[in-house]
Coordinates of all heavy atoms in Angstrom, one line a residue:
A107 N 107.8 102.9 79.4 CA 106.5 103.4 79.1 C 105.5 102.4 79.5 O 104.4 102.8 80.2 CB 106.3 103.8 77.5
A108 N 105.6 101.1 79.2 CA 104.7 100.0 79.6 C 104.6 100.0 81.1 O 103.6 99.8 81.8 CB 105.1 98.6 79.1
S109 N 105.9 100.1 81.9 CA 105.8 99.9 83.3 C 105.2 101.2 83.9 O 104.4 101.0 84.9 CB 107.2 99.7 83.7 OG 108.1 100.9 83.5
E110 N 105.4 102.4 83.4 CA 104.9 103.5 84.0 C 103.4 103.6 83.7 O 102.6 103.7 84.6 CB 105.5 104.8 83.3 CG 106.9 105.1 83.8 CD 106.9 105.7 85.1 OE1 106.0 106.6 85.5 OE2 107.7 105.1 86.0
I111 N 102.9 103.6 82.5 CA 101.4 103.7 82.3 C 100.7 102.3 82.8 O 99.7 102.5 83.6 CB 101.2 103.9 80.8 CG1 101.7 105.2 80.2 CG2 99.7 103.7 80.5 CD1 101.7 105.2 78.8
G112 N 101.2 101.2 82.6 CA 100.5 100.0 83.1 C 100.6 100.1 84.7 O 99.6 99.5 85.2
G113 N 101.7 100.5 85.2 CA 101.7 100.5 86.7 C 100.7 101.5 87.3 O 100.0 101.2 88.3
H114 N 100.6 102.5 86.7 CA 99.5 103.5 87.2 C 98.1 103.0 87.0 O 97.3 103.3 87.9 CB 99.7 104.8 86.6 CG 100.9 105.6 87.0 ND1 102.1 106.0 86.3 CD2 101.3 106.0 88.4 CE1 102.9 106.5 87.1 NE2 102.6 106.7 88.2
I115 N 97.8 102.5 85.8 CA 96.6 101.9 85.6 C 96.2 100.8 86.6 O 95.1 100.7 87.2 CB 96.2 101.5 84.1 CG1 96.4 102.6 83.2 CG2 95.0 100.7 83.9 CD1 96.4 102.4 81.7
T116 N 97.2 99.9 86.8 CA 97.1 98.9 87.8 C 96.8 99.5 89.3 O 95.9 99.0 89.9 CB 98.3 97.9 87.9 OG1 98.5 97.4 86.5 CG2 98.2 96.8 88.8
A117 N 97.5 100.5 89.4 CA 97.2 101.1 90.9 C 95.8 101.6 91.0 O 95.3 101.4 92.1 CB 98.2 102.1 91.2
F118 N 95.4 102.4 90.1 CA 94.0 102.9 90.1 C 93.0 101.9 90.1 O 91.9 102.0 90.8 CB 93.8 104.0 88.9 CG 94.5 105.3 89.2 CD1 95.6 105.7 88.4 CD2 94.2 106.1 90.3 CE1 96.3 106.8 88.5 CE2 95.0 107.1 90.6 CZ 95.9 107.6 89.7
A119 N 93.2 100.7 89.3 CA 92.2 99.6 89.3 C 92.3 99.0 90.7 O 91.2 98.5 91.2 CB 92.8 98.7 88.2
G120 N 93.5 99.0 91.3 CA 93.4 98.4 92.7 C 92.8 99.2 93.7 O 92.0 98.7 94.5
I121 N 92.9 100.5 93.5 CA 92.1 101.5 94.3 C 90.6 101.2 94.2 O 89.9 101.3 95.2 CB 92.6 102.8 94.0 CG1 94.0 103.2 94.6 CG2 91.6 103.9 94.7 CD1 94.7 104.5 94.2
N122 N 90.2 101.1 93.0 CA 88.8 100.9 92.7 C 88.4 99.6 93.4 O 87.3 99.4 93.8 CB 88.5 100.8 91.2 CG 88.5 102.3 90.6 OD1 88.3 103.2 91.4 ND2 88.7 102.3 89.3
A123 N 89.1 98.6 93.1 CA 88.8 97.2 93.8 C 88.8 97.4 95.3 O 87.8 96.8 95.8 CB 89.8 96.2 93.3
L124 N 89.7 98.0 95.9 CA 89.8 98.0 97.4 C 88.5 99.0 97.8 O 87.7 98.7 98.9 CB 90.9 98.7 98.0 CG 92.2 97.5 97.7 CD1 93.4 98.3 98.3 CD2 91.9 96.4 98.7
T125 N 88.2 99.9 97.1 CA 87.0 100.8 97.4 C 85.7 100.0 97.3 O 85.0 100.1 98.2 CB 87.0 102.0 96.6 OG1 88.3 102.8 96.6 CG2 85.8 103.0 96.8
A126 N 85.6 99.2 96.2 CA 84.5 98.4 96.1 C 84.4 97.5 97.3 O 83.3 97.0 97.7 CB 84.5 97.6 94.8
C127 N 85.5 96.9 97.7 CA 85.4 95.9 98.7 C 85.2 96.5 100.0 O 84.4 95.8 101.0 CB 86.8 95.1 98.9 SG 87.2 94.0 97.4
L128 N 85.5 97.7 100.3 CA 85.3 98.4 101.5 C 83.7 98.6 101.9 O 83.3 98.7 103.0 CB 85.9 99.7 101.6 CG 87.5 99.6 101.9 CD1 88.1 101.1 101.8 CD2 88.0 98.9 103.1
D129 N 82.9 98.5 100.8 CA 81.6 98.7 100.9 C 80.9 97.8 101.8 O 79.8 97.9 102.4 CB 80.8 98.8 99.5 CG 81.3 100.1 98.8 OD1 81.8 101.0 99.4 OD2 81.1 100.1 97.6
W130 N 81.3 96.6 101.8 CA 80.8 95.4 102.6 C 81.4 95.1 103.9 O 81.0 94.1 104.5 CB 80.5 94.1 101.6 CG 81.8 93.6 101.0 CD1 82.3 93.9 99.8 CD2 82.4 92.6 101.5 NE1 83.5 93.2 99.6 CE2 83.6 92.4 100.4 CE3 82.6 91.8 102.6 CZ2 84.7 91.4 100.8 CZ3 83.6 90.9 102.9 CH2 84.5 90.7 101.9
L131 N 82.4 95.9 104.2 CA 83.1 95.6 105.5 C 82.5 96.4 106.5 O 82.1 97.6 106.3 CB 84.6 95.9 105.3 CG 85.4 94.9 104.5 CD1 86.9 95.5 104.4 CD2 85.4 93.6 105.0
T132 N 82.3 95.9 107.8 CA 81.8 96.8 108.9 C 83.0 97.4 109.5 O 84.2 97.3 109.2 CB 81.1 95.9 109.8 OG1 82.1 95.0 110.4 CG2 80.0 95.0 109.2
D133 N 82.6 98.4 110.3 CA 83.5 99.1 111.2 C 84.6 98.3 111.9 O 85.8 98.5 112.0 CB 83.0 100.1 112.0 CG 82.4 101.2 111.2 OD1 82.8 101.5 110.0 OD2 81.4 102.0 111.8
K134 N 84.0 97.3 112.6 CA 84.8 96.3 113.3 C 85.8 95.5 112.5 O 86.9 95.3 112.8 CB 84.0 95.4 114.2 CG 83.1 96.0 115.3 CD 82.3 95.1 116.0 CE 81.5 95.8 117.0 NZ 80.6 94.8 117.8
M135 N 85.4 95.2 111.4 CA 86.3 94.5 110.4 C 87.2 95.3 109.8 O 88.4 94.8 109.4 CB 85.4 93.7 109.4 CG 84.5 92.7 109.8 SD 83.6 91.9 108.5 CE 84.9 91.1 107.5
M136 N 87.2 96.7 109.8 CA 88.1 97.6 109.3 C 89.4 97.3 109.9 O 90.5 97.5 109.3 CB 87.5 98.9 109.1 CG 86.5 99.1 108.1 SD 87.2 98.9 106.4 CE 88.4 100.1 106.3
S137 N 89.4 97.5 111.3 CA 90.7 97.4 112.0 C 91.3 96.1 111.8 O 92.5 96.0 111.7 CB 90.3 97.6 113.5 OG 89.4 96.8 114.0
V138 N 90.6 94.9 111.7 CA 91.3 93.7 111.5 C 91.9 93.7 110.1 O 93.0 93.1 109.9 CB 90.1 92.5 111.7 CG1 90.8 91.2 111.3 CG2 89.6 92.5 113.1
V139 N 91.1 94.2 109.1 CA 91.6 94.2 107.7 C 92.8 95.1 107.5 O 93.8 94.6 106.9 CB 90.5 94.7 106.7 CG1 91.2 95.1 105.4 CG2 89.5 93.7 106.7
A140 N 92.7 96.3 108.2 CA 94.0 97.2 108.2 C 95.2 96.6 108.9 O 96.3 96.6 108.4 CB 93.6 98.5 108.9
L141 N 95.0 96.0 110.1 CA 96.1 95.3 110.7 C 96.6 94.2 109.9 O 97.8 93.9 109.7 CB 95.7 94.7 112.1 CG 96.7 94.0 113.0 CD1 97.8 95.0 113.3 CD2 96.1 93.6 114.2
S142 N 95.8 93.3 109.3 CA 96.1 92.2 108.4 C 96.9 92.8 107.3 O 97.9 92.0 106.8 CB 95.0 91.5 107.9 OG 94.3 90.9 109.0
V143 N 96.5 93.7 106.5 CA 97.2 94.3 105.4 C 98.7 94.8 105.9 O 99.6 94.5 105.2 CB 96.3 95.5 104.9 CG1 97.3 96.2 103.8 CG2 95.2 94.9 104.1
F144 N 98.6 95.5 107.1 CA 99.9 95.9 107.5 C 101.0 94.8 107.8 O 102.1 94.9 107.4 CB 99.7 96.8 108.8 CG 101.0 97.2 109.4 CD1 101.6 98.2 108.9 CD2 101.5 96.6 110.6 CE1 103.0 98.6 109.4 CE2 102.7 97.0 111.2 CZ 103.4 98.0 110.7
V145 N 100.4 93.7 108.5 CA 101.2 92.7 108.8 C 101.7 92.0 107.5 O 102.9 91.6 107.3 CB 100.6 91.6 109.8 CG1 101.3 90.3 109.9 CG2 100.4 92.2 111.1
G146 N 100.8 91.8 106.6 CA 101.1 91.1 105.3 C 102.1 91.9 104.5 O 103.1 91.3 104.0
L147 N 102.0 93.3 104.5 CA 103.0 94.1 103.8 C 104.3 94.0 104.5 O 105.4 94.0 103.8 CB 102.6 95.6 103.8 CG 101.5 95.9 102.8 CD1 101.1 97.3 103.0 CD2 101.9 95.4 101.4
V148 N 104.4 93.9 105.9 CA 105.7 93.8 106.5 C 106.4 92.4 106.3 O 107.4 92.3 105.9 CB 105.5 93.9 108.0 CG1 106.8 93.4 108.8 CG2 105.2 95.3 108.5
V149 N 105.5 91.4 106.2 CA 106.0 90.1 105.9 C 106.6 90.0 104.4 O 107.7 89.4 104.2 CB 104.9 89.0 106.0 CG1 105.3 87.6 105.5 CG2 104.6 88.7 107.5
V150 N 105.8 90.5 103.5 CA 106.3 90.7 102.1 C 107.7 91.4 102.1 O 108.5 90.9 101.4 CB 105.1 91.3 101.3 CG1 105.8 91.5 99.8 CG2 104.0 90.2 101.1
R151 N 107.8 92.4 102.8 CA 108.9 93.3 102.6 C 110.1 92.4 103.2 O 111.2 92.4 102.7 CB 108.7 94.6 103.5 CG 110.0 95.4 103.6 CD 110.4 95.8 102.2 NE 111.7 96.5 102.5 CZ 112.3 97.4 101.7 NH1 111.6 97.8 100.6 NH2 113.3 98.0 101.9
L152 N 109.9 91.8 104.4 CA 110.9 90.9 104.9 C 111.3 89.8 104.0 O 112.7 89.6 103.9 CB 110.6 90.6 106.3 CG 110.5 91.7 107.4 CD1 109.9 91.0 108.7 CD2 111.7 92.3 107.7
G153 N 110.3 89.3 103.4 CA 110.6 88.2 102.4 C 111.4 88.6 101.3 O 112.4 87.9 100.8
L154 N 111.0 89.8 100.7 CA 111.8 90.3 99.7 C 113.2 90.7 99.9 O 114.2 90.4 99.3 CB 111.0 91.5 99.0 CG 109.8 91.2 98.3 CD1 109.1 92.6 97.8 CD2 110.0 90.3 97.1
D155 N 113.4 91.3 101.2 CA 114.9 91.5 101.6 C 115.5 90.2 101.6 O 116.9 90.2 101.4 CB 114.7 92.3 102.9 CG 114.3 93.7 102.9 OD1 114.3 94.3 101.7 OD2 114.0 94.3 103.9
R156 N 115.0 89.1 102.3 CA 115.7 87.9 102.4 C 116.1 87.4 101.1 O 117.2 86.8 100.9 CB 114.8 86.9 103.2 CG 115.3 85.6 103.4 CD 116.6 85.6 104.3 NE 117.1 84.3 104.4 CZ 118.3 84.0 104.6 NH1 119.3 84.9 104.6 NH2 118.8 82.7 104.7

Side-chain angles (χ1 to χ4, degrees):
S109 64
E110 283 289 311
I111 294 171
H114 287 118
I115 292 175
T116 304
F118 287 116
I121 290 170
N122 284 341
L124 289 175
T125 303
C127 291
L128 288 177
D129 292 341
W130 57 273
L131 292 176
T132 62
D133 289 336
K134 291 180 182 178
M135 289 179 68
M136 284 300 294
S137 59
V138 173
V139 168
L141 182 63
S142 301
V143 168
F144 176 74
V145 169
L147 290 174
V148 168
V149 167
V150 167
R151 174 61 187 206
L152 293 174
L154 290 175
D155 286 345
R156 179 70 178 142

